[in-house]
Amino acid sequence: METKKNSQIYKFVDLVIKFIAKFKSNSYTEKDFITLQNKTKNNVVKEQLNIMYKFYKYYNKQIHSNYLIDFEDMVNYAYRYMENQPLKEEYTKYKYIIVDEYQDISNQRFNLLQKISEVFNAKIIGVGDDWQAIFSFSGSDIKLFTNFCEFMGYGEILKITNTYRNSQELIDIAGDFVLKNSDQFNKKLNSNKHLKNPIEIIYYDKTENISCLLEQILEYIYHTNPQHTVLLLGRYNNDKKIFLENSHFKEGIISQNEIIYTQHKDMNIKFLTVHSAKGLGYDQVIILNAKDAKYGFPTKIKEEEILAILNNDTEENIEFAEERRLFYVAITRTKNKVYILAPNKNSSIFIKEIKNYDNVIEKFNKMDNNTEDIELEII
């Protein structure tokens, strides 16, 4: 069978894999296919569910007959096992359960956590940041974080407000931007670092100019501080094509996401998607894709309806709520400045929003027809 990523077979297999993983991560079982059938009026989706049911049964039979389980099975089986286990003295010595990255919790993990707490008679401490809840596509539910006290019966919220990576000027912009969503916790972050104009928006006329602009930024960074690490951020993996078509850029060690800039091979440059970069920090960050398009930032791609039917009924009071949090994650990966490349026309709605903040400067490129050099002018 054709297995290239753009082939129909590959896309179908990928869809089945995502469905089964998300189905299990919601703690659904075989009988829930009927519930899902009744949930939709779309006959196409009903037929797709029939097909997914067959794949689900076949997949489980194949792995379980070989005494194998997948990650979602681990969580679900652990919960079911504990549900049937009598309480034993030796199990009750734990007083606290600390869960890191709590904003990414899914329903199945929440169920397991509650059961562990019940068996151990232990208190739960959830450590996380609702501003960085960006994994709903894999089953996480932000409401399990923001409504923690309600779901747990009681609780106390302790806000960690000191940040050590970003400057105060940058975090003021990022914090105000992400809090446009009033469903999230309101907090004011503080930093001892200060840096004027930590965000630069650089506009381009033509897509082919992007790699030349990227070179200019890298040259500036290198001559300012050649030891600085640089992160190239894409909304999608395909965003690396923006610069790899330029002969001055090539991929290094792929497993390390290394990018080699041939003009200065000693520069430490990585390319990551924003989702992959969560939790990481670099001296300088360059966001490559800030356009208003289907594959832009925010993305305009709608989730397949067969996957969307598995979503929790969590609605937020602002459009592109998770993409807004993702953009927040993107601009806060830097220890110093973040450079954002955006088209003059059709720039991201997020760009149109943040450009009005203090400490954000805009630049536009001007191509010289004779020299083919790009000059940047401050707006």
Side-chain angles (χ1 to χ4, degrees):
M1 287 293 185
E2 178 62 69
T3 56
K4 290 181 181 177
K5 286 191 175 183
N6 61 352
S7 73
Q8 291 301 313
I9 290 292
Y10 181 93
K11 290 178 180 177
F12 175 71
V13 171
D14 185 58
L15 183 64
V16 173
I17 291 170
K18 287 177 178 175
F19 178 89
I20 293 175
K22 196 168 183 178
F23 183 87
K24 289 186 175 187
S25 73
N26 278 289
S27 300
Y28 288 144
T29 59
E30 194 171 312
K31 63 182 180 182
D32 289 305
F33 276 95
I34 297 173
T35 304
L36 293 172
Q37 289 273 7
N38 295 331
K39 187 177 177 180
T40 181
K41 296 180 180 179
N42 188 322
N43 290 328
V44 173
V45 175
K46 286 180 183 289
E47 183 56 36
Q48 288 175 333
L49 282 168
N50 289 332
I51 295 169
M52 289 298 181
Y53 174 69
K54 295 175 183 178
F55 276 102
Y56 172 81
K57 286 186 66 178
Y58 174 82
Y59 167 75
N60 279 340
K61 182 180 178 181
Q62 288 298 311
I63 62 172
H64 297 163
S65 63
N66 286 292
Y67 304 99
L68 300 172
I69 57 174
D70 56 29
F71 180 79
E72 287 76 22
D73 282 340
M74 280 191 222
V75 181
N76 290 331
Y77 286 6
Y79 171 76
R80 292 168 198 164
Y81 177 82
M82 294 190 71
E83 200 172 30
N84 298 319
Q85 279 296 104
L87 188 64
K88 295 182 180 179
E89 283 291 323
E90 62 265 33
Y91 290 164
T92 61
K93 61 184 178 181
Y94 298 105
K95 293 183 179 180
Y96 300 97
I97 302 167
I98 302 174
V99 185
D100 197 15
E101 301 290 352
Y102 192 82
Q103 76 280 347
D104 297 331
I105 197 164
S106 63
N107 279 302
Q108 65 161 181
R109 298 182 198 185
F110 179 83
N111 292 338
L112 176 61
L113 180 62
Q114 271 200 320
K115 183 55 65 176
I116 294 173
S117 173
E118 183 182 310
V119 170
F120 291 165
N121 193 28
K123 289 184 170 65
I124 297 169
I125 301 173
V127 184
D129 182 3
D130 58 313
W131 293 5
Q132 298 188 59
I134 57 174
F135 291 107
S136 67
F137 64 86
S138 61
S140 67
D141 185 353
I142 191 173
K143 294 295 184 184
L144 294 172
F145 185 100
T146 54
N147 294 345
F148 179 89
C149 296
E150 180 183 330
F151 282 111
M152 293 298 177
Y154 70 97
E156 183 179 355
I157 299 171
L158 303 174
K159 295 181 181 179
I160 300 172
T161 57
N162 290 330
T163 180
Y164 302 95
R165 177 189 299 142
N166 311 124
S167 64
Q168 187 66 55
E169 290 76 9
L170 186 140
I171 204 64
D172 282 345
I173 298 165
D176 189 77
F177 171 81
V178 78
L179 277 177
K180 292 293 192 298
N181 183 352
S182 60
D183 287 334
Q184 297 165 169
F185 285 126
N186 192 339
K187 52 186 181 281
K188 169 70 176 175
L189 299 184
N190 303 302
S191 173
N192 289 326
K193 292 177 65 173
H194 290 279
L195 180 64
K196 186 178 180 181
N197 301 328
I199 298 179
E200 287 191 17
I201 302 168
I202 302 173
Y203 297 98
Y204 58 86
D205 288 318
K206 300 177 181 178
T207 304
E208 53 265 31
N209 292 352
I210 299 178
S211 62
C212 296
L213 287 174
L214 180 57
E215 285 194 71
Q216 279 198 342
I217 298 168
L218 291 175
E219 289 292 334
Y220 173 77
I221 292 172
Y222 186 83
H223 289 103
T224 303
N225 193 327
Q227 303 303 315
H228 271 191
T229 58
V230 180
L231 175 63
L232 307 180
L233 266 184
R235 176 61 185 82
Y236 294 98
N237 264 313
N238 275 347
D239 287 341
K240 69 172 68 172
K241 291 180 180 178
I242 290 171
F243 58 85
L244 285 180
E245 293 175 356
N246 183 323
S247 61
H248 290 166
F249 295 94
K250 62 181 181 179
E251 289 189 279
I253 302 172
I254 294 176
S255 62
Q256 297 180 15
N257 305 298
E258 184 182 53
I259 299 298
I260 296 172
Y261 177 43
T262 59
Q263 304 302 92
H264 301 292
K265 293 182 179 180
D266 57 331
M267 287 189 81
N268 185 342
I269 304 173
K270 306 277 188 184
F271 171 85
L272 291 169
T273 63
V274 186
H275 283 98
S276 301
K278 182 175 170 292
L280 303 178
Y282 291 78
D283 293 317
Q284 309 285 348
V285 169
I286 305 170
I287 299 175
L288 302 169
N289 178 355
K291 58 187 178 183
D292 182 18
K294 182 178 179 180
Y295 289 93
F297 202 170
T299 181
K300 299 292 182 66
I301 298 175
K302 290 187 176 181
E303 189 174 34
E304 292 274 359
E305 198 168 345
I306 187 66
L307 296 178
I309 199 173
L310 299 174
N311 291 342
N312 302 302
D313 297 326
T314 297
E315 291 186 11
E316 298 182 72
N317 64 9
I318 193 170
E319 191 178 20
F320 301 118
E322 185 154 317
E323 289 289 304
R324 179 174 289 269
R325 291 191 288 270
L326 192 64
F327 192 77
Y328 167 84
V329 169
I331 61 179
T332 54
R333 295 311 90 201
T334 185
K335 298 175 184 177
N336 295 285
K337 296 189 73 165
V338 57
Y339 303 86
I340 307 175
L341 303 181
N344 277 326
K345 298 178 180 179
N346 300 321
S347 60
S348 164
I349 57 173
F350 294 159
I351 295 299
K352 293 174 182 176
E353 190 173 329
I354 68 166
K355 71 178 184 179
N356 298 315
Y357 285 101
D358 291 337
N359 284 301
V360 175
I361 61 174
E362 298 177 278
K363 295 182 178 180
F364 66 95
N365 71 71
K366 185 172 68 175
M367 179 74 81
D368 187 309
N369 292 327
N370 297 320
T371 63
E372 293 191 349
D373 286 335
I374 295 178
E375 297 179 355
L376 296 180
E377 296 182 348
I378 297 178
I379 297 176

